[in-house]
Amino acid sequence: MTTRLRSTRPVVVGALAATLVAATVGLAPQTASAATTDDGWLRVGHLSPDTKGVDVELSSLSGGKKVFELDDVTYGQVSPYQELPVGTYVLSMRDAAAPDSTPVISTDVTVTAGDANTVVAYGRNSDLKTTAFTDDLQQPGDGKAKLRLVQAATTAKKVDVSTSTGTAVAEDARFGTATGYATVAAGKWTLDVSGGGQRGTAKVDLAGNTVSTLFVLDDSRGDLTVVPVTDAAATAATPTGGVQTGGGGTAADRPVDDALHALVATLRSLFR
């Protein structure tokens, strides 16, 4: 890791309705129960493909007390949610091979009551950035899934996402942005992604009564892939690892039925 930088721009996490529900995700299984009125929820993602594993530390801005730390977080991994009192914290990421080194990136994070947020470091190592996405953990009900897309692939400024049958899902999704959430029919989908001369295919299985984020990432071959991370689920049986970056799988084309048309129409509306 040759480039180091410090960002002093604060990341202020956004508002979320008080109907916050249980959530599980990340490096280890963990269930987030409803936060008290004095607490919020925070998780951290490593989305920089050429930045090596990092140690993540969150400390209080006032007094510098360490709140939590994560060791050797690698590209594509998203931590469990951490319940935190309201206030401002300093989030730092250091090269895991040099824990006493200057942070590769450091930023202030403000946690507000009753909110859940994902703070990510993204972009190339020479131009690392941080941003916060507000997480809506209200579950959609049986037979339904709620999802959004985050475009974090560095090889394309904009990407297009379509079904394996060629039906457009999203067009010109910009780097570093997230769509709003949409509710769709639960089920298995095969998605193709393209942009910047790169392509990729991913198989997505959206379980019922779940909330997910679909990350568009660089894969290990320099192509694109779409990988889901569960934000909230009805049970604790959620992914125990970070998102994978192996390039996505292949699958037979799924027939275009009513549920597929609903998925396409809903996701396309997010990018208008």
Side-chain angles (χ1 to χ4, degrees):
M1 199 174 297
T2 58
T3 304
R4 304 186 185 280
L5 61 90
R6 177 177 177 85
S7 170
T8 58
R9 182 179 61 186
V11 176
V12 180
V13 296
L16 182 67
T19 53
L20 206 57
V21 296
T24 54
V25 71
L27 302 172
Q30 174 175 322
T31 300
S33 58
T36 69
T37 56
D38 295 329
D39 292 336
W41 293 96
L42 186 71
R43 65 178 179 177
V44 180
H46 178 341
L47 305 182
S48 173
D50 64 341
T51 298
K52 297 179 180 179
V54 295
D55 292 341
V56 179
E57 179 180 302
L58 190 74
S59 58
S60 299
L61 181 63
S62 177
K65 180 181 178 181
K66 187 183 299 184
V67 177
F68 75 81
E69 58 185 339
L70 301 167
D71 295 331
D72 198 19
V73 180
T74 57
Y75 175 55
Q77 288 189 310
V78 180
S79 78
Y81 283 100
Q82 181 73 27
E83 184 177 1
L84 296 168
V86 297
T88 302
Y89 300 86
V90 179
L91 178 68
S92 301
M93 296 184 180
R94 290 180 171 83
D95 185 348
D100 296 326
S101 61
T102 302
V104 295
I105 200 164
S106 181
T107 189
D108 292 349
V109 178
T110 299
V111 174
T112 56
D115 292 355
N117 294 269
T118 301
V119 178
V120 300
Y122 69 101
R124 290 287 177 180
N125 182 266
S126 59
D127 189 28
L128 280 176
K129 299 178 177 66
T130 57
T131 193
F133 299 120
T134 299
D135 304 336
D136 179 359
L137 305 184
Q138 181 64 53
Q139 291 162 250
D142 294 340
K144 300 177 181 178
K146 191 162 67 175
L147 73 158
R148 65 178 171 183
L149 271 67
V150 169
Q151 205 303 71
T154 64
T155 54
K157 293 182 179 180
K158 297 180 180 180
V159 300
D160 298 329
V161 181
S162 63
T163 68
S164 57
T165 59
T167 304
V169 173
E171 298 177 347
D172 294 334
R174 293 182 294 107
F175 175 64
T177 65
T179 71
Y181 283 89
T183 299
V184 300
K188 296 180 179 180
W189 310 97
T190 299
L191 300 178
D192 296 328
V193 58
S194 62
Q198 311 299 320
R199 304 187 67 86
T201 302
K203 191 174 181 179
V204 175
D205 189 355
L206 301 174
N209 201 25
T210 60
V211 182
S212 301
T213 296
L214 306 182
F215 289 92
V216 181
L217 299 174
D218 305 325
D219 73 7
S220 57
R221 300 170 300 185
D223 290 327
L224 303 175
T225 189
V226 177
V227 195
V229 169
T230 302
D231 300 345
T235 72
T238 55
T240 57
V243 297
Q244 302 301 308
T245 56
T250 58
D253 288 348
R254 180 185 178 94
V256 179
D257 54 17
D258 290 342
L260 177 56
H261 286 302
L263 172 69
V264 170
T266 307
L267 286 179
R268 290 182 73 178
S269 70
L270 296 175
F271 290 89
R272 290 173 181 169

